[in-house]
Amino acid sequence: MHRLKDFVRPSVPHRTTSLYFYLWQQARFKTQPGPDVTVQSGLKRFSTAEATVHTGHGHPVRMREKSLTMATLNPQVKAVEYAVRGPIVIKAGDIERRLQQGVKESFTEVIKANIGDAHAMGQQPITFLRQVVALCCYPQLLESPSFPEDAKQRAQRILQDCGGQSLGSYSASQGVECIRQHVADYITQRDQGVPSDWNNIYLTTGASDGIMSILKLLVSGQDTCRTGVMIPIPQYPLYSAAISELEAVHINYYLDEDNCWALDIEELQRAYLTAKQHCQPRVLCIINPGNPTGQVQSKKCIEEVLHFAYEENMFVMADEVYQDNVYSSDCQFHSFKKVLYEMGPEYFNNVELVSFHSTSKGYTGECGFRGGYMEVLNMDPQVKVQLIKLLSVRLCPPVAGQAAMDVIVNPPKEHEPSYAQFTKEKSSVLDVLAHKARLTERILNSVPGIKCNPVQGAMYAFPRIFIPPRAIQEAQARSMAPDMLYCLKLLEETGICVVPGSGFGQREGTYHFRMTVLPSPEKLKVLLGKLKDFHLCFLEEYSQEEPQLSRSSQHQHRENSKPDA
């Protein structure tokens, strides 16, 4: 027989009873068991769904107002935009799911040319990189004869510097020490002897993590003293998103489309002087090779930029993640650090420069590992301490990504067993990318109303498109950018997903889209063929004059428009 106290709800918690326990106990009496309840040691456990809907006696639950709403959301989050995964891409995902469910469209697949994700587009991994990472992840494979000795040696060296000799342990916040040393050696070799100190190397979660960390250090001040960040237009939307999130001031400088997207120093000076009237320009961001524009900046251009930074005491951020992706025989990658060194000690010892690299691009395309590094030059020692503190908050970059970065900066040597296969795979990837870059440029330039600059490097074409006035008017009526309307219609009619140029920035009155050259040559030809047909139909549809009313129709229209007597 149950005792009375088992059914009576205590009205006041005992002095020794915690408030949490009292509230939990109250909830026990109010809630009736449901089908998913399991009773264990006198405790009742409910699924989240059940706890939400059960009221005890069937009474309706009053839903409390949420603490986090669009009204209370951080306004800087609202200001963030990232076109590469924006509305067009979300729409593409919806269409893709409908196709999988059997819904009929005028196309059978969605071709995603919106993002530089090489493996998603069918590129095969570099064997040696995957071997080293696999050995690090599962050291028992070190006993297997299936793996070459040079891969085993690299894995063993990495594991020696990992806590407990396990990739599952945290590394130092700056990264695994031996990998940082290998990065410094790589930079010295790349720059033909320009020294690199591994203490200036910080491993990052892709390049994006490093870029965001450095911007956090740089943004300060209020009103006209607020930090201004100079970014190229067109730009990779990470920069505009980060600037918005940090409440810094956007300073746009426009690349010269008529000169293959070159950086014009006079335009840089114009943007700087204009911005000084309302903020404090302190940061200059460069993307070389360019994203989304695909240009490779000349050595002379880089010298002019560094001289400008020296004269105006600007902090330079050089995004060099596409340094292996140079396709034009007339172009060569020049690192900002090497050019700075060659300008002499007055420049090299004073200009504050951070350069970034990543596993995600180049010939490996290992986006998912989120590996990267940054090299920091001429940073104030006390600020460097603050940088390490900031990096320590996120503990460390993914250690598997660090291992992948190690392979990129420490590939097989000529005398090692994996050298031949590694070199063959690397050359094959880069040769195919160069072929697809030329193919894309050639086909796009054959289409009336499309003009594409040479894709000298990186992984993208950024063609300029002519959009008829009627299409512009329709876009305005639908509260969207004209090239957004163009890309939306392209997706809906062909299944091709590209990103409107308005998401990257462009001169007013011009329209573009960005597409990757990563699909296989066969699929790329299909994509470009469909794009050509669509563009011609788009021009025809929106270039037609509005049908004119006949005289009798006009008279009838006027009669019908008269107000009632």
Side-chain angles (χ1 to χ4, degrees):
M1 188 170 72
H2 295 286
R3 290 174 295 177
L4 179 63
K5 67 178 181 180
D6 290 333
F7 296 96
V8 177
R9 282 183 280 173
S11 57
V12 180
H14 190 272
R15 288 173 186 260
T16 59
T17 304
S18 72
L19 180 61
Y20 171 81
F21 181 77
Y22 171 68
L23 293 173
W24 174 85
Q25 202 172 24
Q26 292 286 78
R28 271 188 72 196
F29 281 101
K30 288 181 179 177
T31 314
Q32 297 298 316
D36 295 329
V37 175
T38 57
V39 180
Q40 194 172 38
S41 303
L43 298 179
K44 295 181 179 179
R45 294 195 171 274
F46 299 85
S47 69
T48 303
E50 184 186 16
T52 302
V53 299
H54 272 268
T55 63
H57 300 288
H59 301 303
V61 175
R62 182 179 64 84
M63 295 301 292
R64 187 184 67 182
E65 183 181 349
K66 293 187 183 299
S67 173
L68 179 61
T69 66
M70 287 302 292
T72 61
L73 179 68
N74 183 339
Q76 274 58 62
V77 174
K78 294 180 192 177
V80 169
E81 293 184 3
Y82 189 64
V84 174
R85 295 196 174 192
I88 294 284
V89 184
I90 295 170
K91 177 83 171 178
D94 292 340
I95 294 173
E96 205 167 32
R97 283 186 287 275
R98 291 207 303 270
L99 287 172
Q100 291 168 354
Q101 293 165 1
V103 177
K104 297 298 181 184
E105 298 282 357
S106 59
F107 46 87
T108 58
E109 66 172 334
V110 172
I111 303 177
K112 291 183 178 178
N114 62 293
I115 194 167
D117 190 349
H119 290 203
M121 292 290 100
Q123 180 178 310
Q124 294 303 300
I126 298 295
T127 302
F128 186 73
L129 186 148
R130 288 297 181 92
Q131 287 174 331
V132 172
V133 175
L135 289 162
C136 288
C137 289
Y138 192 60
Q140 287 87 334
L141 293 173
L142 290 165
E143 305 301 322
S144 170
S146 301
F147 289 80
E149 285 304 311
D150 49 354
K152 292 180 180 180
Q153 289 166 6
R154 279 165 176 74
Q156 288 169 331
R157 179 69 187 91
I158 292 168
L159 290 172
Q160 283 174 10
D161 274 20
C162 293
Q165 297 196 358
S166 170
L167 216 63
S169 61
Y170 290 127
S171 74
S173 297
Q174 301 98 308
V176 174
E177 187 171 305
C178 71
I179 300 176
R180 294 167 66 204
Q181 292 169 344
H182 293 157
V183 170
D185 293 342
Y186 161 80
I187 292 171
T188 300
Q189 183 179 12
R190 180 200 68 189
D191 292 343
Q192 300 174 314
V194 178
S196 178
D197 182 352
W198 70 272
N199 289 294
N200 293 332
I201 305 298
Y202 301 82
L203 301 182
T204 57
T205 307
S208 303
D209 170 50
I211 291 166
M212 195 68 185
S213 297
I214 295 299
L215 284 174
K216 284 179 181 177
L217 295 180
L218 286 159
V219 176
S220 64
Q222 297 297 326
D223 301 324
T224 57
C225 294
R226 190 65 173 168
T227 296
V229 183
M230 302 187 72
I231 57 174
I233 297 296
Q235 53 96 28
Y236 177 48
L238 163 69
Y239 291 93
S240 55
I243 293 168
S244 295
E245 184 178 342
L246 297 172
E247 291 187 88
V249 179
H250 296 249
I251 306 175
N252 298 337
Y253 65 90
Y254 290 89
L255 301 177
D256 185 358
E257 184 171 10
D258 293 332
N259 191 22
C260 205
W261 298 112
L263 198 165
D264 179 10
I265 196 67
E266 291 184 2
E267 166 61 15
L268 206 59
Q269 291 167 338
R270 179 209 62 78
Y272 174 82
L273 292 173
T274 303
K276 281 195 74 174
Q277 300 173 27
H278 61 270
C279 71
Q280 181 58 53
R282 295 178 59 208
V283 191
L284 173 58
C285 300
I286 313 285
I287 309 173
N288 182 49
N291 174 12
T293 46
Q295 87 287 2
V296 179
Q297 300 294 0
S298 67
K299 182 178 179 181
K300 181 177 182 296
C301 173
I302 295 172
E303 287 173 343
E304 291 177 343
V305 169
L306 290 170
H307 177 73
F308 168 81
Y310 173 82
E311 290 293 325
E312 304 299 348
N313 197 25
M314 300 286 286
F315 191 107
V316 180
M317 297 175 63
D319 184 338
E320 299 176 335
V321 301
Y322 296 100
Q323 58 189 259
D324 287 311
N325 301 104
V326 177
Y327 313 126
S328 173
S329 58
D330 299 330
C331 298
Q332 179 183 347
F333 170 75
H334 301 277
S335 77
F336 268 69
K337 181 188 175 183
K338 183 172 185 286
V339 175
L340 186 64
Y341 181 83
E342 292 171 346
M343 291 173 72
E346 181 68 19
Y347 289 90
F348 189 67
N349 295 328
N350 284 289
V351 174
E352 295 158 275
L353 169 67
V354 180
S355 53
F356 305 90
H357 197 13
S358 168
T359 62
S360 302
K361 310 305 176 186
Y363 57 91
T364 58
E366 293 283 7
C367 303
F369 276 117
R370 308 309 300 132
Y373 75 74
M374 59 184 177
E375 183 181 28
V376 179
L377 295 182
N378 297 322
M379 180 175 279
D380 182 296
Q382 291 181 307
V383 175
K384 210 181 239 190
V385 172
Q386 297 299 311
L387 171 61
I388 295 171
K389 179 184 74 175
L390 183 64
L391 296 176
S392 69
V393 173
R394 52 89 158 124
L395 296 176
C396 70
V399 184
Q402 296 184 48
M405 192 77 246
D406 185 76
V407 176
I408 293 172
V409 299
N410 186 27
K413 307 295 188 292
E414 196 167 353
H415 64 277
E416 292 181 314
S418 299
Y419 178 80
Q421 182 181 7
F422 175 86
T423 304
K424 180 181 178 182
E425 290 177 354
K426 176 182 176 180
S427 298
S428 175
V429 169
L430 294 175
D431 289 347
V432 170
L433 282 171
H435 165 70
K436 292 188 291 188
R438 290 189 293 269
L439 176 71
T440 300
E441 176 196 341
R442 177 172 57 80
I443 294 179
L444 287 176
N445 280 326
S446 72
V447 184
I450 296 182
K451 182 182 183 297
C452 183
N453 274 321
V455 183
Q456 297 173 335
M459 298 177 171
Y460 315 98
F462 195 68
R464 183 171 176 174
I465 51 177
F466 171 72
I467 297 183
R470 277 188 57 215
I472 295 173
Q473 292 168 5
E474 180 177 326
Q476 291 169 343
R478 295 172 64 174
S479 300
M480 64 174 65
D483 47 17
M484 172 69 85
L485 173 69
Y486 181 95
C487 293
L488 184 62
K489 284 184 168 289
L490 175 66
L491 173 65
E492 292 173 340
E493 294 178 23
T494 69
I496 295 171
C497 179
V498 297
V499 189
S502 49
F504 301 89
Q506 55 199 353
R507 283 194 180 275
E508 189 173 351
T510 68
Y511 308 105
H512 303 78
F513 64 81
R514 189 192 80 164
M515 61 167 284
T516 71
V517 298
L518 291 174
S520 67
E522 298 73 28
K523 187 165 286 189
L524 186 61
K525 288 177 183 176
V526 171
L527 184 159
L528 292 168
K530 286 185 172 185
L531 176 59
K532 180 177 181 177
D533 293 341
F534 166 82
H535 185 78
L536 294 175
C537 291
F538 184 86
L539 291 182
E540 184 178 2
E541 176 184 354
Y542 285 100
S543 296
Q544 293 175 351
E545 293 294 331
E546 291 283 5
Q548 297 295 317
L549 293 172
S550 66
R551 288 184 179 274
S552 58
S553 297
Q554 290 177 14
H555 176 74
Q556 183 65 45
H557 176 71
R558 284 195 297 269
E559 290 296 319
N560 292 339
S561 301
K562 289 180 180 179
D564 295 335

